[in-house]
Amino acid sequence: MTELIVAGIIFVFLFFIMFCLGNFVRLFEKKEKYSIGCRIVSGFVFYFFLFEIIAFPVMIARQPLHRLTMIWGSVIAFLVLAACVKFGKSWWEEWKARKLRGYSAGFYLMLFLIGLQCVFAALWTDNSPDAAYYVANVSANVATDTINIYEPFTGAMQETFYTRYLFGLYPVHNSVVCQLTGVHPLVLTKTLMSVAAIVLSYTVWAQVGKKLFDKREQVWMLLSFLSVIQFFFHTIYSNASFLLTRGYEGKALLANVILPFILYLGLCLFENIKNRSAWLLLFATTVAGVDISMSAMSIVPVAASAACLVAIIGKRSWKSLIYYGICMVPSVLILAVYLLTSKGYLTFHI
Amino acid sequence: MGSVNFAEEGMTFVLSCLKEYGGQTCMLGFFLAGFLYVLLCGSRKERYFFCGITGFLAVTIYNPLLANPVIKFMNMSAEYYRFFWILPMGFLTAWMCVKMAETQKTKGKKAALICLLFVILAAAGNPVISTFADLQVPQNKYKVPDGLLAVCEIIHQDSGDNAFPKSVFEYEYNTYVRQYDGNMRLTLDRDVYLLALGSNTVSTRNLSQEEVDAQRRIIDVIQYQNVSEDPSVLTAALKATQTDYLVISKSSEPVLAYLTAAGCESFADTGSHIIFRGP
């Protein structure tokens, strides 16, 4: 029970960290108003963008897990402190200025349906073969204090880093959190992060909804309908299935948080093609997406291209192609390294 | 995609994948209806979001002329369906429902229409669980069988200074155990086990043929209860794989006797499983 309570505290703290990091987005586009939800999702992207940049070289250098844990813990502590110092006053002013307004039945229905999904994910027991990689990877890293050195399936020491998951360090992130907090990998992945995936997903869709609808009531209704659809769009391949039954996998976050967030950024660019924070977030998403799931290596650039190019063509803003090109650079580099590694031209030995 | 073969489908691969993705739900139909509605009646922003992005994808990654060479080069026929995650299928359907509900001016009629739409969505879909019995409260906070916790504890107690004992488990425990206990090494690789069970979506990666054969011999005994060969064959496989322990269900009586004949010593009984020390 204590461990579940600790997991609950970690859940709240993770969202607070994301909120803090997301506030830095405001520095790049002061004219925009950023809701709490928008800041949380932006912070989520920055969080994994930073993690990939820090964790990948630490892994390749074959450093022990505790070293990465110390580095990551220090970086996050510094950034959270910096956010509190920089934005603390504005948070207090926002809190004082908030309007106390009642919520309708639609709002509570939405909360109930999302809550139902969270309970479902928390109780759902999944033993798919993929869990034997993703979760076992977390356990193996924590048990041996190493980073992707031991094969998750059997525990044998690998000769090279597994190409298929080379940049996909989401399990390593979970290992770091387990080592920092003492929470068991299974509790973190199959309960905490599964529920977090659902909350993040609806936070993103709420932001999209606010762009398409004028009234809050319509957004609550939208999320209620979406909740029902998520329960009944089960096809083992669908994003809904991954969200509810395989939320511990990075793919669930990719399908239900990252990709919808890219579409949201596309909407932001359609409204204002020169929105610097949107371009910056898009750049960060191309890296964060791969950190969360290697499938993002090909899917994220396609989604980003669809969102950006259609907006650029719609706005006839041809100079923005430069920003689009810059956003694609990480994807091209990652894809190049992956292809060179998978074809045997490049090897990362352990 | 397991049921859709790239080599066989050729130019219809993308369409076949899309149909598989939609499965037994009407989500594809709702998405197409919504797409057409937005195209004809939507605002500029809505047309960008729902139609522009979908149109771009249709002429690029969903276009067989472009997609097929990419799929072949990247060897991603099993993962191609993930590109459909980009399409906001569920979101567009939900958006359409809101638009329909907003046509009703009175609260009562709106509520009634919303309830009707909920029923339609449920009836036109495929539920994530068929019955409430499918959703059971986990036995523990780790969401693994309680028996597995007991097995791991017993093995670690017996293994003494060996902090990373190597064990053989039947399929269910074999999949779970390293998620729960990162110190437990396994004899049977997940993919070798899946191949033995008939999967066609995995490979044995860098394992040597000798390693695969030894594991297959063990799987043959514990999974298929093939006890016709001389026990010394199993003994050789267990020694070659340096197996320290085996955990077998008590219901597999022929296997239990066979393991004893192969030189394995049973030393613990968890109620559901017998734990053997390897030969």
Side-chain angles (χ1 to χ4, degrees):
Chain A
M1 190 49 127
T2 318
E3 198 168 4
L4 288 171
I5 294 170
V6 170
I9 296 169
I10 296 167
F11 180 88
V12 172
F13 200 58
L14 266 175
F15 275 81
F16 176 67
I17 292 171
M18 289 187 240
F19 171 74
C20 287
L21 294 183
N23 274 271
F24 289 105
V25 173
R26 291 157 69 179
L27 299 174
F28 294 94
E29 199 65 49
K30 293 190 168 82
K31 285 179 278 186
E32 290 270 335
K33 264 191 158 183
Y34 294 99
S35 65
I36 291 174
C38 187
R39 279 179 261 180
I40 285 173
V41 188
S42 303
F44 165 82
V45 166
F46 269 137
Y47 182 88
F48 283 100
F49 167 76
L50 279 173
F51 188 80
E52 180 73 9
I53 289 173
I54 290 171
F56 186 75
V58 173
M59 178 185 80
I60 295 301
R62 301 187 294 281
Q63 296 298 301
L65 181 69
H66 72 262
R67 194 148 296 150
L68 175 61
T69 303
M70 282 188 322
I71 295 169
W72 184 243
S74 308
V75 166
I76 289 301
F78 171 76
L79 288 172
V80 167
L81 199 62
C84 290
V85 167
K86 174 84 183 157
F87 303 108
K89 195 177 171 189
S90 68
W91 294 344
W92 177 242
E93 280 160 12
E94 277 177 61
W95 175 260
K96 283 198 298 186
R98 78 195 189 286
K99 290 176 198 164
L100 278 170
R101 43 193 174 186
Y103 292 103
S104 64
F107 175 76
Y108 292 110
L109 175 65
M110 174 202 72
L111 278 189
F112 170 73
L113 288 170
I114 293 174
L116 206 59
Q117 289 168 83
C118 292
V119 169
F120 181 92
L123 292 180
W124 181 254
T125 304
D126 174 75
N127 194 24
S128 68
D130 278 357
Y133 178 84
Y134 295 113
V135 182
N137 193 4
V138 180
S139 297
N141 290 339
V142 174
T144 57
D145 193 30
T146 56
I147 306 174
N148 294 350
I149 302 284
Y150 294 94
E151 219 227 30
F153 299 134
T154 60
M157 188 159 167
Q158 301 181 122
E159 290 175 4
T160 59
F161 289 104
Y162 204 165
T163 307
R164 190 183 164 103
Y165 303 106
L166 187 63
F167 293 103
L169 301 183
Y170 179 63
V172 177
H173 164 263
N174 290 338
S175 305
V176 165
V177 175
C178 288
Q179 198 171 64
L180 261 174
T181 60
V183 167
H184 192 280
L186 275 168
V187 174
L188 181 78
T189 55
K190 290 195 173 179
T191 303
L192 196 160
M193 294 310 289
S194 295
V195 173
I198 291 171
V199 174
L200 281 165
S201 178
Y202 283 95
T203 307
V204 176
W205 285 123
Q207 308 315 305
V208 178
K210 285 178 187 173
K211 291 280 184 195
L212 296 176
F213 290 113
D214 299 321
K215 299 180 203 166
R216 293 183 319 151
E217 285 302 317
Q218 292 170 320
V219 178
W220 309 149
M221 215 190 315
L222 175 77
L223 297 185
S224 298
F225 280 121
L226 189 57
S227 297
V228 174
I229 289 166
Q230 300 284 49
F231 272 118
F232 290 94
F233 186 17
H234 179 64
T235 72
I236 78 166
Y237 302 112
S238 68
N239 54 327
S241 297
F242 275 84
L243 184 67
L244 291 181
T245 63
R246 293 163 71 171
Y248 55 86
E249 290 188 40
K251 288 196 281 288
L253 284 167
L254 169 66
N256 295 283
V257 180
I258 295 287
L259 293 176
F261 187 62
I262 289 175
L263 299 186
Y264 167 73
L265 292 177
L267 269 175
C268 295
L269 291 172
F270 188 78
E271 287 176 348
N272 174 14
I273 197 70
K274 294 187 176 128
N275 186 330
R276 278 179 297 184
S277 62
W279 285 114
L280 187 73
L281 283 168
L282 196 63
F283 180 86
T285 306
T286 58
V287 178
V290 172
D291 182 84
I292 283 164
S293 171
M294 281 288 281
S295 297
M297 189 173 55
S298 49
I299 300 174
V300 161
V302 171
S305 299
C308 292
L309 293 176
V310 177
I312 288 171
I313 293 167
K315 292 294 182 181
R316 312 275 191 273
S317 174
W318 310 117
K319 281 188 184 169
S320 300
L321 284 169
I322 299 170
Y323 300 131
Y324 164 71
I326 293 170
C327 287
M328 290 299 108
V329 165
S331 297
V332 170
L333 288 175
I334 287 167
L335 198 55
V337 172
Y338 171 78
L339 285 171
L340 286 171
T341 315
S342 59
K343 304 285 182 200
Y345 296 112
L346 187 62
T347 314
F348 291 99
H349 286 286
I350 290 177
Chain B
M1 246 163 165
S3 53
V4 183
N5 187 287
F6 179 65
E8 287 170 17
E9 296 283 340
M11 293 301 278
T12 58
F13 176 76
V14 173
L15 191 61
S16 300
C17 280
L18 185 61
K19 284 181 194 166
E20 271 300 302
Y21 182 77
Q24 292 172 350
T25 73
C26 298
M27 209 51 60
L28 276 180
F30 292 155
F31 180 73
L32 285 168
F35 178 90
L36 285 170
Y37 173 79
V38 174
L39 194 63
L40 297 170
C41 311
S43 68
R44 205 159 170 259
K45 195 194 291 187
E46 288 159 356
R47 282 205 300 272
Y48 155 75
F49 187 73
F50 292 120
C51 302
I53 291 176
T54 304
F56 180 92
L57 294 170
V59 298
T60 53
I61 200 62
Y62 300 153
N63 177 356
L65 291 171
L66 224 92
N68 282 17
V70 171
I71 294 166
K72 200 171 175 184
F73 176 70
M74 297 286 290
N75 193 22
M76 58 182 342
S77 58
E79 292 88 20
Y80 177 77
Y81 71 89
R82 295 173 193 176
F83 285 101
F84 297 127
W85 289 341
I86 306 173
L87 291 176
M89 274 193 208
F91 185 80
L92 176 53
T93 306
W95 180 87
M96 286 285 294
C97 290
V98 175
K99 287 291 192 186
M100 279 191 266
E102 288 291 297
T103 58
Q104 302 305 308
K105 298 300 171 200
T106 60
K107 273 189 181 174
K109 283 185 181 173
K110 195 187 267 190
L113 181 55
I114 288 170
C115 289
L116 179 63
L117 287 168
F118 278 173
V119 170
I120 291 171
L121 288 172
N126 187 38
V128 66
I129 48 170
S130 312
T131 65
F132 283 110
D134 291 341
L135 183 65
Q136 294 171 352
V137 176
Q139 294 177 19
N140 50 63
K141 62 187 174 184
Y142 307 110
K143 300 191 197 181
V144 298
D146 279 336
L148 182 65
L149 311 190
V151 162
C152 290
E153 196 181 336
I154 292 170
I155 288 176
H156 282 297
Q157 274 176 1
D158 188 74
S159 64
D161 293 336
N162 181 6
F164 301 97
K166 196 173 186 186
S167 306
V168 162
F169 292 86
E170 289 157 323
Y171 181 73
E172 189 197 8
Y173 277 25
N174 201 65
T175 315
Y176 271 132
V177 68
R178 280 187 59 76
Q179 298 175 50
Y180 169 69
D181 183 352
N183 289 317
M184 186 73 70
R185 289 187 302 144
L186 293 178
T187 298
L188 301 175
D189 181 270
R190 180 201 79 161
D191 291 348
V192 173
Y193 218 139
L194 285 171
L195 281 169
L197 293 175
S199 169
N200 61 356
T201 57
V202 294
S203 69
T204 52
R205 304 182 316 279
N206 298 325
L207 293 172
S208 68
Q209 195 53 50
E210 290 79 22
E211 286 169 315
V212 172
D213 288 343
Q215 292 183 37
R216 287 295 290 260
R217 275 189 206 102
I218 300 169
I219 293 169
D220 220 25
V221 171
I222 66 169
Q223 185 68 30
Y224 296 109
Q225 302 198 359
N226 183 358
V227 296
S228 56
E229 279 195 309
D230 192 274
S232 60
V233 173
L234 178 65
T235 311
L238 291 172
K239 283 183 174 173
T241 53
Q242 298 176 313
T243 300
D244 298 315
Y245 298 96
L246 297 97
V247 180
I248 306 296
S249 308
K250 280 173 88 168
S251 57
S252 305
E253 286 174 14
V255 176
L256 300 175
Y258 190 73
L259 287 178
T260 306
C264 301
E265 176 204 349
S266 70
F267 72 98
D269 181 344
T270 66
S272 59
H273 291 78
I274 304 287
I275 307 176
F276 291 81
R277 292 191 189 96

